[in-house]
């Protein structure tokens, strides 16, 4: 299939190997696969999102590959996010150099959850560590910390943003509603938001197919694309499978 800019479709399926695939994953994978294959010429990539090494397991990776094969899907490339940490660190360093992220020493469970894809809405961070002075940050630099986006500074730089969703149409981005999201968690050095944004661009993904439970995340991804000078893909957020 040829995309809007005359470029062959590159789609991806990006499961986190924290468990077995469910039917919703199968729907995403089949849709992404078919978008790249029909009528021809596109590429369907598989990306294992295993940055949370405490929760991801090799046996789940093997089961995911088995299930995709059983579904009759063939992929054109397979990457593991755990092998791509240097890319995420480099992007974080660029944001650090521009003062768009700040260290966060908070130990809330919300920080621990942030390397996983946020299916649904997370509570907005009250900004505690944004208020720390440079001296306080220096004094605590040896303590374990993550990095949060300074949302107000970020949206002031980018101005208004939008993206195209195949189902919902033209969407005005509203990342500010989600506050200072975590871009690097303490123990993973990155986050779902940062890794997925970097990888979709680095892999030349033209079309992101995923469940509508990740719709809110796209507001953040659009903002990160603008901050890092990355092209926005087209989005296809599909309905969730919720019953028999
Ligand atoms: N890794 C995420 C998940 O398993 C999906 C990420 C995405 O498609 O952007 O839910």
């Amino acid at each position: 299939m040829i995309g809007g800019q005359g470029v062959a479709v590159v789609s991806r399926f990006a499961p986190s190997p924290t468990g077995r695939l469910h039917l919703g994953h199968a729907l995403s994978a089949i849709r992404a696969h078919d978008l790249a294959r029909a009528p021809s010429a596109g590429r369907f990539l598989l990306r294992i999102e295993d940055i949370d090494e405490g929760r991801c397991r090799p046996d789940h990776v093997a089961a995911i590959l088995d299930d995709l094969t059983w579904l009759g899907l063939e992929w054109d490339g397979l990457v593991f996010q755990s092998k791509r940490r240097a890319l995420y660190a480099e992007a974080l360093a660029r944001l650090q150099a521009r003062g768009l992220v700040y260290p966060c020493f908070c130990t809330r469970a919300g920080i621990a959850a942030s390397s996983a894809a946020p299916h649904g809405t997370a509570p907005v961070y009250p900004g505690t560590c944004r208020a720390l002075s440079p001296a306080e940050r220096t004094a605590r630099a040896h303590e374990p910390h993550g990095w949060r986006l300074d949302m107000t500074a970020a949206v002031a730089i980018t101005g208004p943003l939008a993206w195209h969703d195949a189902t919902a149409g033209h969407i005005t981005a509203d990342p500010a509603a989600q506050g200072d999201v975590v871009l690097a968690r303490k123990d993973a050095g990155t986050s779902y938001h940062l890794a997925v944004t970097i990888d979709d661009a680095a892999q030349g993904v033209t079309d992101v197919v995923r469940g509508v439970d990740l719709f809110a995340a796209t507001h953040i991804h659009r903002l990160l694309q603008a901050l890092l000078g990355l092209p926005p893909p087209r989005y296809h957020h599909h309905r969730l499978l919720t019953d028999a």
Side-chain angles (χ1 to χ4, degrees):
M1 184 184 224
I2 303 300
Q5 295 111 25
V7 178
V9 165
V10 180
S11 66
R12 79 338 184 245
F13 177 57
S16 305
T18 53
R20 298 293 299 260
L21 295 187
H22 52 65
L23 276 181
H25 287 122
L27 178 62
S28 289
I30 291 168
R31 288 241 176 131
H33 172 271
D34 290 357
L35 192 66
R37 291 285 184 263
S40 66
R43 296 170 64 224
F44 170 63
L45 307 177
L46 186 55
R47 185 169 75 227
I48 303 296
E49 301 209 323
D50 58 348
I51 54 174
D52 186 346
E53 293 188 18
R55 293 176 61 228
C56 296
R57 290 187 0 208
D59 55 318
H60 291 316
V61 175
I64 287 169
L65 300 185
D66 277 354
D67 286 346
L68 293 175
T69 303
W70 182 86
L71 283 168
L73 305 184
E74 286 177 14
W75 48 93
D76 302 306
L78 170 63
V79 299
F80 291 78
Q81 285 192 327
S82 57
K83 304 275 190 290
R84 298 166 66 81
R85 293 186 185 278
L87 280 177
Y88 316 139
E90 189 266 338
L92 183 67
R94 285 168 58 197
L95 297 172
Q96 286 167 335
R98 292 164 70 193
L100 291 173
V101 288
Y102 60 84
C104 178
F105 302 91
C106 296
T107 54
R108 298 158 62 241
I111 297 176
S114 61
S115 76
H119 303 270
T121 45
V124 172
Y125 178 64
T128 319
C129 288
R130 189 186 338 111
L132 294 178
S133 68
E136 285 171 310
R137 284 180 188 156
T138 305
R140 297 184 64 179
H142 64 283
E143 292 177 32
H145 56 272
W147 290 86
R148 285 185 181 272
L149 183 66
D150 184 333
M151 182 60 80
T152 305
V155 296
I157 286 180
T158 65
L161 296 167
W163 83 83
H164 181 74
D165 186 273
T167 309
H170 180 87
I171 303 294
T172 301
D174 181 20
Q178 297 177 55
D180 292 356
V181 292
V182 173
L183 293 192
R185 86 177 230 192
K186 297 181 187 188
D187 56 342
T190 186
S191 64
Y192 162 69
H193 289 311
L194 187 62
V196 85
T197 302
I198 296 301
D199 281 342
D200 283 337
Q203 296 189 279
V205 170
T206 62
D207 291 79
V208 169
V209 179
R210 60 190 176 199
V212 74
D213 52 341
L214 286 169
F215 193 93
T218 306
H219 293 287
I220 305 297
H221 302 172
R222 184 66 195 93
L223 177 65
L224 293 177
Q225 288 153 5
L227 292 174
L228 294 166
L230 306 173
R234 288 176 292 267
Y235 287 92
H236 307 249
H237 290 99
H238 61 73
R239 292 191 300 141
L240 302 183
L241 295 178
T242 53
D243 57 29

